[in-house]
Amino acid sequence: MIISKCTIQICIHKFLVSIIFVLFLFFVRGLTKGGLGLGDIKLIFVTSIYFGFLKSYIALFIACFLGLLIIVIYKMSSKEIKVKIPFAPFISTGYFIIEIFCRFLKC
């Protein structure tokens, strides 16, 4: 099997960008005192290798927006949030939306 040099360079680039992205998320985790779990960071790392930085950034934005929407709805229904809401389903949904959107627009 022949792998072109360009393909290897692209894979190395995506991997390095993913590491930088994850280091930023560890910084955010430190600021929020563990609000972002290690499982969330691992999920973002693996999917950002596949999608690249821009799509991962947009998917993370979508995930944050969806999470905020659910918290606002939950806040409206009850006065106090007593349950920790996992972020991984929102991350997965964000990546799913990006994948469908990109397949539809062929980007």
Side-chain angles (χ1 to χ4, degrees), residues 8-53:
I8 293 173
Q9 288 176 344
I10 290 171
C11 289
I12 291 171
H13 180 264
K14 281 187 173 184
F15 184 75
L16 292 175
V17 167
S18 296
I19 289 175
I20 293 169
F21 195 51
V22 165
L23 289 175
F24 172 73
L25 291 175
F26 271 114
F27 178 71
V28 169
R29 183 176 193 264
L31 288 177
T32 60
K33 298 176 184 164
L36 190 62
L38 289 176
D40 299 330
I41 293 174
K42 291 176 195 175
L43 178 63
I44 292 169
F45 174 68
V46 171
T47 50
S48 66
I49 291 173
Y50 176 74
F51 283 100
F53 176 74

Side-chain angles (χ1 to χ4, degrees), residues 46-65:
V46 171
T47 50
S48 66
I49 291 173
Y50 176 74
F51 283 100
F53 176 74
L54 183 61
K55 290 179 184 175
S56 293
Y57 184 75
I58 294 170
L60 191 60
F61 178 77
I62 291 170
C64 289
F65 179 76

Side-chain angles (χ1 to χ4, degrees), residues 38-107:
L38 289 176
D40 299 330
I41 293 174
K42 291 176 195 175
L43 178 63
I44 292 169
F45 174 68
V46 171
T47 50
S48 66
I49 291 173
Y50 176 74
F51 283 100
F53 176 74
L54 183 61
K55 290 179 184 175
S56 293
Y57 184 75
I58 294 170
L60 191 60
F61 178 77
I62 291 170
C64 289
F65 179 76
L66 292 173
L68 183 65
L69 184 68
I70 294 299
I71 287 177
V72 166
I73 291 171
Y74 191 77
K75 249 332 207 185
M76 290 171 62
S77 66
S78 67
K79 296 185 181 193
E80 189 175 323
I81 297 178
K82 297 177 183 176
V83 180
K84 288 188 175 182
I85 300 173
F87 194 52
F90 301 113
I91 296 170
S92 301
T93 304
Y95 279 110
F96 181 73
I97 290 170
I98 290 296
E99 181 67 23
I100 297 299
F101 185 73
C102 285
R103 285 186 187 225
F104 180 70
L105 291 179
K106 297 183 190 287
C107 57

